[in-house]
PDB file of all heavy atoms in Angstrom:
ATOM      1  N   MET A   1     -23.886 -18.459 -75.590  1.00 75.00           N
ATOM      2  CA  MET A   1     -22.959 -18.385 -74.486  1.00 75.00           C
ATOM      3  C   MET A   1     -22.344 -16.986 -74.388  1.00 75.00           C
ATOM      4  O   MET A   1     -22.110 -16.498 -73.298  1.00 75.00           O
ATOM      5  CB  MET A   1     -21.877 -19.445 -74.659  1.00 75.00           C
ATOM      6  CG  MET A   1     -20.824 -19.362 -73.622  1.00 75.00           C
ATOM      7  SD  MET A   1     -20.670 -20.822 -72.653  1.00 75.00           S
ATOM      8  CE  MET A   1     -19.018 -21.273 -73.023  1.00 75.00           C
ATOM      9  N   THR A  10     -21.252  -7.305 -67.340  1.00 78.00           N
ATOM     10  CA  THR A  10     -22.040  -6.116 -67.034  1.00 78.00           C
ATOM     11  C   THR A  10     -22.390  -6.063 -65.545  1.00 78.00           C
ATOM     12  O   THR A  10     -22.375  -5.008 -64.931  1.00 78.00           O
ATOM     13  CB  THR A  10     -23.319  -6.087 -67.899  1.00 78.00           C
ATOM     14  OG1 THR A  10     -22.924  -6.117 -69.280  1.00 78.00           O
ATOM     15  CG2 THR A  10     -24.132  -4.844 -67.638  1.00 78.00           C
ATOM     16  N   ALA A  42      -8.327  -3.616 -63.393  1.00 78.00           N
ATOM     17  CA  ALA A  42      -8.352  -5.007 -63.864  1.00 78.00           C
ATOM     18  C   ALA A  42      -8.536  -5.061 -65.364  1.00 78.00           C
ATOM     19  O   ALA A  42      -8.982  -4.101 -65.985  1.00 78.00           O
ATOM     20  CB  ALA A  42      -9.488  -5.768 -63.180  1.00 78.00           C
ATOM     21  N   ILE A  44     -10.587  -7.311 -68.025  1.00 83.00           N
ATOM     22  CA  ILE A  44     -11.602  -8.334 -68.247  1.00 83.00           C
ATOM     23  C   ILE A  44     -11.458  -8.777 -69.695  1.00 83.00           C
ATOM     24  O   ILE A  44     -11.512  -7.960 -70.610  1.00 83.00           O
ATOM     25  CB  ILE A  44     -13.023  -7.819 -67.966  1.00 83.00           C
ATOM     26  CG1 ILE A  44     -13.142  -7.411 -66.492  1.00 83.00           C
ATOM     27  CG2 ILE A  44     -14.052  -8.886 -68.310  1.00 83.00           C
ATOM     28  CD1 ILE A  44     -14.476  -6.818 -66.108  1.00 83.00           C
ATOM     29  N   PHE A  47     -14.872 -11.863 -74.822  1.00 85.00           N
ATOM     30  CA  PHE A  47     -15.367 -13.223 -75.015  1.00 85.00           C
ATOM     31  C   PHE A  47     -14.487 -14.006 -75.979  1.00 85.00           C
ATOM     32  O   PHE A  47     -14.192 -15.171 -75.757  1.00 85.00           O
ATOM     33  CB  PHE A  47     -16.815 -13.188 -75.521  1.00 85.00           C
ATOM     34  CG  PHE A  47     -17.397 -14.555 -75.743  1.00 85.00           C
ATOM     35  CD1 PHE A  47     -17.843 -15.306 -74.673  1.00 85.00           C
ATOM     36  CD2 PHE A  47     -17.481 -15.091 -77.022  1.00 85.00           C
ATOM     37  CE1 PHE A  47     -18.363 -16.580 -74.863  1.00 85.00           C
ATOM     38  CE2 PHE A  47     -18.005 -16.360 -77.221  1.00 85.00           C
ATOM     39  CZ  PHE A  47     -18.448 -17.109 -76.138  1.00 85.00           C
ATOM     40  N   ILE A  52      -9.691 -22.518 -72.752  1.00 91.00           N
ATOM     41  CA  ILE A  52      -9.395 -23.513 -71.724  1.00 91.00           C
ATOM     42  C   ILE A  52      -7.908 -23.819 -71.821  1.00 91.00           C
ATOM     43  O   ILE A  52      -7.403 -24.145 -72.896  1.00 91.00           O
ATOM     44  CB  ILE A  52     -10.200 -24.817 -71.954  1.00 91.00           C
ATOM     45  CG1 ILE A  52     -11.707 -24.574 -71.941  1.00 91.00           C
ATOM     46  CG2 ILE A  52      -9.789 -25.891 -70.944  1.00 91.00           C
ATOM     47  CD1 ILE A  52     -12.277 -24.157 -70.626  1.00 91.00           C
ATOM     48  N   HIS A  72      12.348 -20.052 -82.939  1.00 80.00           N
ATOM     49  CA  HIS A  72      12.203 -21.234 -83.792  1.00 80.00           C
ATOM     50  C   HIS A  72      12.405 -22.515 -82.973  1.00 80.00           C
ATOM     51  O   HIS A  72      11.643 -23.479 -83.110  1.00 80.00           O
ATOM     52  CB  HIS A  72      13.194 -21.180 -84.958  1.00 80.00           C
ATOM     53  CG  HIS A  72      13.177 -22.419 -85.799  1.00 80.00           C
ATOM     54  ND1 HIS A  72      12.156 -22.703 -86.675  1.00 80.00           N
ATOM     55  CD2 HIS A  72      14.042 -23.472 -85.864  1.00 80.00           C
ATOM     56  CE1 HIS A  72      12.378 -23.868 -87.245  1.00 80.00           C
ATOM     57  NE2 HIS A  72      13.516 -24.356 -86.774  1.00 80.00           N
ATOM     58  N   ALA A  85       2.299 -36.227 -78.837  1.00 94.00           N
ATOM     59  CA  ALA A  85       1.212 -36.516 -77.893  1.00 94.00           C
ATOM     60  C   ALA A  85      -0.046 -36.949 -78.644  1.00 94.00           C
ATOM     61  O   ALA A  85      -0.723 -37.901 -78.246  1.00 94.00           O
ATOM     62  CB  ALA A  85       0.919 -35.295 -77.021  1.00 94.00           C
ATOM     63  N   LEU A 121     -12.899 -16.472 -57.415  1.00 89.00           N
ATOM     64  CA  LEU A 121     -12.224 -15.186 -57.345  1.00 89.00           C
ATOM     65  C   LEU A 121     -11.037 -15.308 -56.407  1.00 89.00           C
ATOM     66  O   LEU A 121     -11.166 -15.837 -55.291  1.00 89.00           O
ATOM     67  CB  LEU A 121     -13.198 -14.118 -56.823  1.00 89.00           C
ATOM     68  CG  LEU A 121     -12.677 -12.702 -56.689  1.00 89.00           C
ATOM     69  CD1 LEU A 121     -12.328 -12.132 -58.070  1.00 89.00           C
ATOM     70  CD2 LEU A 121     -13.721 -11.827 -56.010  1.00 89.00           C
ATOM     71  N   SER A 122      -9.865 -14.863 -56.869  1.00 89.00           N
ATOM     72  CA  SER A 122      -8.679 -14.865 -56.020  1.00 89.00           C
ATOM     73  C   SER A 122      -8.128 -13.444 -55.969  1.00 89.00           C
ATOM     74  O   SER A 122      -8.694 -12.523 -56.552  1.00 89.00           O
ATOM     75  CB  SER A 122      -7.611 -15.821 -56.573  1.00 89.00           C
ATOM     76  OG  SER A 122      -6.972 -15.250 -57.693  1.00 89.00           O
ATOM     77  N   TRP A 130     -15.221 -25.080 -65.148  1.00 94.00           N
ATOM     78  CA  TRP A 130     -16.063 -25.896 -66.031  1.00 94.00           C
ATOM     79  C   TRP A 130     -15.963 -27.358 -65.640  1.00 94.00           C
ATOM     80  O   TRP A 130     -14.972 -27.791 -65.070  1.00 94.00           O
ATOM     81  CB  TRP A 130     -15.584 -25.770 -67.481  1.00 94.00           C
ATOM     82  CG  TRP A 130     -15.530 -24.383 -68.021  1.00 94.00           C
ATOM     83  CD1 TRP A 130     -14.428 -23.582 -68.089  1.00 94.00           C
ATOM     84  CD2 TRP A 130     -16.596 -23.643 -68.583  1.00 94.00           C
ATOM     85  NE1 TRP A 130     -14.755 -22.388 -68.663  1.00 94.00           N
ATOM     86  CE2 TRP A 130     -16.081 -22.400 -68.982  1.00 94.00           C
ATOM     87  CE3 TRP A 130     -17.950 -23.910 -68.798  1.00 94.00           C
ATOM     88  CZ2 TRP A 130     -16.860 -21.418 -69.581  1.00 94.00           C
ATOM     89  CZ3 TRP A 130     -18.731 -22.938 -69.401  1.00 94.00           C
ATOM     90  CH2 TRP A 130     -18.187 -21.705 -69.777  1.00 94.00           C
TER      91      TRP A 130
END
Side-chain angles (χ1 to χ4, degrees):
M1 175 120 119
T10 302
I44 298 177
F47 180 78
I52 301 293
H72 175 74
L121 180 65
S122 76
W130 304 97

